[in-house]
């Protein structure tokens, strides 16, 4: 089912760059996954026993995210709390272009591996840190995970229906928005270094990456109405667009949005109600918003008479922005993403047959790199540490001593 544009043999954008990846869970590993898929050599430096996400119960499927986020990387084990472990890491820093971590702020300094320490070994190093609230400010030391940042950022207060309590987003959007911004910052820093020869330290806070996504809801706090609820269900966050909702079908639901009179007229044509184009009380978006309950009821009554996929086809024919509300099984089998090579089916050595993702960043004319499943823990110890002059006998001794 999957079809991936073959790699052309030309250098991918980040070919030749080495990234030391100290990250864990979702935020940082996604940023470094994007770098690996752009051609960088990403060395995942894991603590003894492996990164936390690797150790989740594979039988329950909880380990699959590790496979999704760590493909095309190498793995070495290293105890950064051991003096010899820190020295080995600093030796690796001499060979690297980027060091990236998402520990709590202050951890790298306590390990003696903060930016000044790394820069002393490699003046051109790019040192990137991702965290919940950033390396400075009053919230710096608050424990942060996706759920807590959803709460702090306002995402939860704006998600759900007004009559119900706040709800978290089903997606780990704070982790991944943070990861995307961290990736962008690292690549931008490498561009600066190419021009100036100078490294830099990067500080990306998840909280700050989420704020712009709330633009519609934030905008309504400055509007003329003071009766708009924080949570608007499936309606527009600022209640300024209509129709904008999820409507029932005979076998599911469909999302429909009309953000212009053109879309509204197209929807009326699809509904077989062209006479409503002349209805004075629905003539403008402002008027339709004022009659939102009536508009939604009319659209819902009409949509309920169709099967979901048949209605979607009809709306596409009439150029009405819409989509079926799909479950995850449908999304995993999505023919469009498989055709583009974004999704592919593999037989993972640890997790068996699973559907995984390539990078969503397509470099036209270059294709995608060959997909390599997430590495076995410490699979690259011998090769990477041999570069530093560590012999096999010493590797075995370091493992016995808990350094690796």
């Amino acid at each position: 089912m999957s079809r991936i544009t073959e790699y052309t043999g030309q250098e991918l954008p980040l070919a030749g760059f080495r990234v030391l990846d100290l990250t864990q869970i979702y935020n940082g590993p996604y940023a470094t996954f994007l770098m690996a898929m752009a051609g960088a050599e990403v060395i995942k430096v894991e603590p003894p026993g492996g990164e936390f996400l690797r150790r989740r119960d594979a039988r329950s499927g909880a380990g699959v995210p590790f496979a999704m986020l760590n493909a095309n990387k190498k793995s070495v084990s290293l105890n950064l709390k051991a003096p010899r472990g820190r020295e080995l890491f600093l030796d690796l820093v001499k060979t690297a272009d980027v060091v990236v971590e998402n520990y709590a702020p202050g951890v790298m300094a306590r390990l003696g591996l903060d930016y000044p320490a790394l820069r002393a070994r490699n003046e051109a190093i790019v040192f990137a840190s991702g965290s919940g609230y950033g390396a400075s400010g009053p919230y710096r030391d608050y424990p942060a995970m996706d759920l807590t940042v959803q709460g702090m950022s306002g995402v939860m207060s704006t998600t759900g229906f007004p009559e119900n309590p706040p709800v978290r987003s089903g997606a780990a959007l704070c982790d991944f928005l943070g990861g995307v911004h961290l990736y962008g910052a690292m690549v931008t820093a490498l561009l600066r270094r190419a021009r100036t020869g100078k490294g830099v330290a990067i500080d990306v806070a998840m909280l700050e990456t989420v704020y712009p996504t709330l633009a519609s809801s934030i905008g309504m706090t400055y509007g003329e109405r003071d009766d708009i609820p924080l949570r608007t269900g499936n309606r527009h966050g600022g209640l300024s667009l209509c129709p904008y909702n999820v409507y029932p079908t005979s076998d599911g639901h469909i999302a429909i949005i009309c953000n212009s009179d053109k879309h509204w007229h197209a929807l009326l044509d699809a509904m077989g109600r062209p006479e409503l184009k002349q209805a004075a009380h629905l003539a403008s978006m402002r008027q339709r918003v004022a009659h939102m309950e009536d508009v939604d009821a009319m659209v819902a009554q009409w949509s309920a008479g169709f099967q979901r996929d048949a209605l979607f086809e009809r709306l596409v024919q009439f150029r009405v922005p819409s989509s079926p509300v799909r479950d995850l099984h449908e999304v995993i089998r999505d023919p469009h993403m498989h055709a583009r090579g974004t999704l592919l089916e593999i037989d993972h050595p640890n997790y068996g047959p699973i559907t995984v993702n390539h990078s969503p960043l397509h470099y036209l004319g270059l294709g995608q790199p060959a997909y390599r499943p997430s590495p076995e823990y410490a699979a690259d110890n011998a090769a990477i540490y041999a570069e530093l002059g560590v012999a096999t006998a010493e590797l075995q001794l370091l493992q016995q001593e808990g350094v690796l």
Side-chain angles (χ1 to χ4, degrees):
M1 186 177 186
S2 303
R3 179 172 60 81
I4 304 173
T5 304
E6 293 185 359
Y7 176 53
T8 63
Q10 301 181 58
E11 282 196 350
L12 287 165
L14 297 183
F17 289 102
R18 170 172 277 190
V19 179
L20 302 183
D21 179 7
L22 296 174
T23 67
Q24 54 191 329
I25 314 297
Y26 292 166
N27 171 290
Y30 186 61
T32 53
F33 167 79
L34 293 176
M35 298 193 84
M37 288 301 183
E41 179 193 22
V42 177
I43 301 174
K44 189 172 181 67
V45 181
E46 303 189 55
E51 193 238 296
F52 178 79
L53 190 58
R54 182 192 286 278
R55 290 176 277 163
R56 288 186 178 176
D57 183 9
R59 294 169 298 176
S60 69
V64 171
F66 183 87
M68 295 173 62
L69 301 180
N70 291 286
N72 286 56
K73 300 179 184 180
K74 298 176 180 178
S75 170
V76 298
S77 59
L78 192 59
N79 183 357
L80 297 178
K81 296 179 181 178
R84 179 59 174 146
R86 285 194 297 275
E87 192 59 36
L88 283 171
F89 183 74
L90 289 170
D91 286 342
L92 279 174
V93 169
K94 296 177 184 178
T95 74
D97 300 284
V98 179
V99 172
V100 53
E101 57 90 17
N102 65 341
Y103 296 126
V107 168
M108 291 295 282
R110 290 196 294 273
L111 290 171
L113 297 173
D114 56 3
Y115 180 53
L118 303 189
R119 187 175 55 190
R121 298 296 181 102
N122 182 346
E123 288 187 356
I125 198 71
V126 171
F127 178 65
S129 297
S131 62
Y133 303 113
S136 62
Y139 301 166
R140 175 186 185 270
D141 295 321
Y142 288 0
M145 299 292 283
D146 186 87
L147 177 66
T148 61
V149 178
Q150 285 198 33
M152 189 70 81
S153 66
V155 168
M156 288 177 63
S157 73
T158 60
T159 304
F161 291 87
E163 65 273 16
N164 293 328
V167 179
R168 75 171 183 88
S169 164
L173 62 90
C174 299
D175 271 331
F176 284 91
L177 279 169
V180 170
H181 282 77
L182 190 59
Y183 167 80
M186 289 188 286
V187 173
T188 303
L190 288 174
L191 175 60
R192 175 183 181 269
R193 195 186 72 171
R195 291 175 172 171
T196 68
K198 297 179 180 179
V200 70
I202 295 165
D203 173 23
V204 175
M206 290 159 59
L207 179 69
E208 295 162 2
T209 70
V210 176
Y211 186 86
T213 70
L214 297 165
S216 292
S217 297
I218 290 169
M220 70 149 183
T221 67
Y222 293 94
E224 60 190 22
R225 295 178 56 186
D226 59 5
D227 61 337
I228 298 177
L230 278 174
R231 290 182 293 285
T232 58
N234 292 314
R235 288 173 167 169
H236 184 253
L239 294 183
S240 60
L241 295 178
C242 180
Y244 184 118
N245 213 330
V246 172
Y247 301 95
T249 65
S250 63
D251 60 348
H253 294 84
I254 193 162
I256 299 173
I257 172 176
C258 296
N259 63 3
S260 68
D261 292 342
K262 179 181 178 181
H263 291 150
W264 170 242
H265 291 167
L267 177 59
L268 292 177
D269 288 337
M271 295 174 66
R273 299 293 304 275
E275 75 280 3
L276 290 178
K277 296 177 187 178
Q278 310 305 320
H281 69 295
L282 301 176
S284 70
M285 182 67 74
R286 189 179 184 90
Q287 289 167 309
R288 291 191 291 276
V289 167
H291 294 85
M292 187 176 292
E293 296 295 338
D294 293 336
V295 172
D296 275 346
M298 178 181 65
V299 176
Q301 183 178 15
W302 170 74
S303 65
F306 291 82
Q307 290 187 329
R308 186 197 68 178
D309 292 348
L311 179 54
F312 178 53
E313 289 182 12
R314 181 173 179 83
L315 292 170
V316 168
Q317 178 186 350
F318 282 87
R319 306 296 297 169
V320 178
S322 60
S323 73
V325 178
R326 303 190 299 180
D327 64 32
L328 292 182
H329 293 288
E330 293 176 282
V331 175
I332 290 169
R333 297 191 299 269
D334 181 77
H336 175 78
M337 287 193 284
H338 278 275
R340 283 173 55 81
T342 302
L343 297 182
L344 61 153
E345 296 162 354
I346 67 167
D347 190 359
H348 194 280
N350 300 115
Y351 308 111
I354 57 175
T355 300
V356 294
N357 53 291
H358 250 287
S359 170
L361 308 180
H362 297 268
Y363 306 101
L364 301 183
L366 300 184
Q368 293 270 23
Y371 187 91
R372 302 195 313 272
S374 56
E376 295 284 351
Y377 167 67
D380 301 283
N381 274 10
I384 299 298
Y385 291 130
E387 295 180 17
L388 306 180
V390 180
T392 302
E394 185 180 0
L395 280 178
Q396 294 173 346
L397 180 61
L398 291 175
Q399 187 172 7
Q400 293 172 6
E401 294 175 344
V403 176
L404 302 183

